[in-house]
Amino acid sequence: MELITFKIILVLALFLLSLTVAAYSTWAERKVAAVMQDRIGPNKAGPFGLLQPLADGGKFFFKEDFTPDNAERFLFVIGPSIVMFLSLLTGAVIPWGSTINIAGESFDLQVANIDIGVLYILGLASVSVYGMMLGGWASNNKYSLIGAIRASSQMISYELAMGLALLAIIMMSGSLDLKVIVEQQTHGKLWGIVPEVSGINWNIFYQPFAFLIFLIAALAETNRHPFDLPECESELVTGYSTEYSSMKLGLYMFGEYVNMFISNALIAVLFFGGYNYPGIDWVAENWGENVAGVFSIVSFLIKVFFGIFLFMWIRWTIPRFRYDQLMHLGWKKLIPFGLINLLITGAIILLFNN
């Protein structure tokens, strides 16, 4: 019963965290853009504009909810719901921290510790494109349909490269369990020569090319600039979401920001040691399991927020690609590089095992 109660609390906390991060990512996005363009950014709603996300949410709720006459109404409604629902589900298998001790019993800070966590996330990410595809098709608008087709072809292309980058990590860890992947980055000498310090044996030092491929693919999977061709304003108005208004449009926008949050959480797990930090074992031994657990949550969120800042930095720095350049990069560059990296990884693992 205690485990079930803890899991329910964890689910609610994760739900609130995801929505809060998604809401304030819109504020942070505008602040980052303002700094890069020498502007002020949001500063009217509350101190430093911190209440701007609440004002935006109220606007979405009270705007007129318009549905085109010739739209497929059921699919028109279900499209954004699928995107938001699946975005929230993906966080269930992410290990957000080490452990917390309550009444003498240790609890993992992970909603569902399944041994195929990587496949779970890839599966949900693959299905989420149906939300965009259904929304674009159900709108009965040619610009929306083109945006939906772009979204589906883009995700298919970059999921292949993302899968190849993931395979390199899976080959190194020998597991699809995200918790195991994180724990393997806790101990060990870096490159076999650096004196061991718990919490810094990160995969980024062994798989820099896989990280670069995964980062580019994650940008494309979340439709972030310079890969925002499905929503390209200069060509398609706003793409698959052109006919949407009120909270239906808000669900698409929130889904995108939740996806960005979860994508950076996955990047932190796979390449930056997850919740690990230098000296995590020492903190647990000397200051207790709960202090180490709280520090692990803070460490994990710092890595995630830095990744979100990087996504925003890229958006306001790099110009948008043409669609043929987008597909060329995915099929002719990232996939071959991913295969070469996979081959080299396999050869090195075989050499060290022998």
Side-chain angles (χ1 to χ4, degrees):
M1 181 60 83
E2 290 181 358
L3 178 61
I4 295 175
T5 304
F6 178 78
K7 293 293 184 180
I8 292 173
I9 295 173
L10 191 59
V11 167
L12 293 176
L14 180 57
F15 176 72
L16 293 175
L17 175 65
S18 299
L19 292 184
T20 303
V21 170
Y24 276 91
S25 291
T26 63
W27 173 86
E29 183 104 66
R30 282 177 277 190
K31 282 294 186 182
V32 171
V35 170
M36 294 190 173
Q37 297 170 355
D38 197 21
R39 297 186 289 106
I40 297 175
N43 67 336
K44 299 298 183 185
F48 306 105
L50 288 172
L51 298 182
Q52 188 64 49
L54 300 180
D56 292 338
K59 180 186 72 174
F60 276 123
F61 273 112
F62 292 109
K63 283 183 71 174
E64 179 184 3
D65 187 11
F66 175 79
T67 302
D69 289 336
N70 295 323
E72 292 285 344
R73 290 183 176 272
F74 175 74
L75 298 180
F76 188 80
V77 172
I78 205 70
S81 305
I82 290 175
V83 172
M84 188 64 185
F85 179 68
L86 294 179
S87 298
L88 292 171
L89 278 183
T90 49
V93 296
I94 300 289
W96 299 93
S98 54
T99 57
I100 292 291
N101 192 294
I102 301 175
E105 186 175 355
S106 295
F107 295 95
D108 288 332
L109 292 170
Q110 185 179 13
V111 174
N113 186 8
I114 57 177
D115 55 3
I116 53 168
V118 174
L119 292 182
Y120 172 87
I121 289 181
L122 282 179
L124 290 183
S126 301
V127 173
S128 66
V129 70
Y130 285 103
M132 302 175 192
M133 193 68 201
L134 288 176
W137 183 81
S139 296
N140 197 23
N141 178 307
K142 61 182 178 182
Y143 296 110
S144 299
L145 181 59
I146 293 172
I149 293 172
R150 281 185 173 186
S152 58
S153 59
Q154 176 174 312
M155 286 194 171
I156 291 170
S157 303
Y158 283 84
E159 274 177 3
L160 294 173
M162 179 180 283
L164 292 173
L166 277 171
L167 278 175
I169 300 297
I170 293 168
M171 288 173 64
M172 287 181 56
S173 64
S175 175
L176 295 169
D177 189 336
L178 294 175
K179 183 78 172 179
V180 172
I181 293 174
V182 171
E183 290 297 330
Q184 288 182 344
Q185 298 175 72
T186 306
H187 305 101
K189 293 182 178 181
L190 186 60
W191 288 108
I193 55 175
V194 178
E196 181 174 346
V197 176
S198 63
I200 63 168
N201 194 37
W202 298 350
N203 287 332
I204 180 67
F205 300 118
Y206 302 98
Q207 289 289 341
F209 292 111
F211 165 70
L212 185 60
I213 293 169
F214 193 92
L215 176 65
I216 296 172
L219 284 168
E221 286 282 298
T222 53
N223 293 330
R224 295 288 301 179
H225 213 89
F227 302 98
D228 63 336
L229 275 299
E231 308 166 4
C232 183
E233 298 93 343
S234 59
E235 301 172 16
L236 303 176
V237 192
T238 55
Y240 59 85
S241 60
T242 296
E243 299 291 353
Y244 282 90
S245 61
S246 187
M247 205 56 208
K248 295 193 191 73
L249 177 61
L251 287 177
Y252 271 132
M253 293 181 62
F254 266 68
E256 178 180 313
Y257 280 107
V258 173
N259 274 332
M260 182 171 65
F261 175 53
I262 298 299
S263 294
N264 281 288
L266 184 58
I267 289 173
V269 166
L270 295 174
F271 297 99
F272 294 97
Y275 51 75
N276 284 307
Y277 54 90
I280 183 173
D281 287 346
W282 184 91
V283 173
E285 291 173 5
N286 294 274
W287 293 351
E289 183 179 355
N290 286 340
V291 174
V294 172
F295 281 7
S296 69
I297 298 172
V298 173
S299 170
F300 187 79
L301 292 179
I302 288 174
K303 296 171 186 176
V304 173
F305 292 151
F306 179 79
I308 292 174
F309 168 73
L310 181 63
F311 272 45
M312 294 175 180
W313 188 359
I314 291 172
R315 173 176 181 178
W316 299 103
T317 305
I318 302 177
R320 179 185 290 130
F321 294 158
R322 291 198 318 265
Y323 197 69
D324 61 308
Q325 294 172 328
L326 173 85
M327 301 305 287
H328 179 90
L329 176 64
W331 287 99
K332 295 185 178 181
K333 295 290 191 263
L334 293 187
I335 292 177
F337 286 155
L339 289 170
I340 292 171
N341 182 68
L342 201 60
L343 182 63
I344 294 173
T345 300
I348 292 175
I349 291 174
L350 186 63
L351 178 65
F352 275 87
N353 284 345
N354 289 335

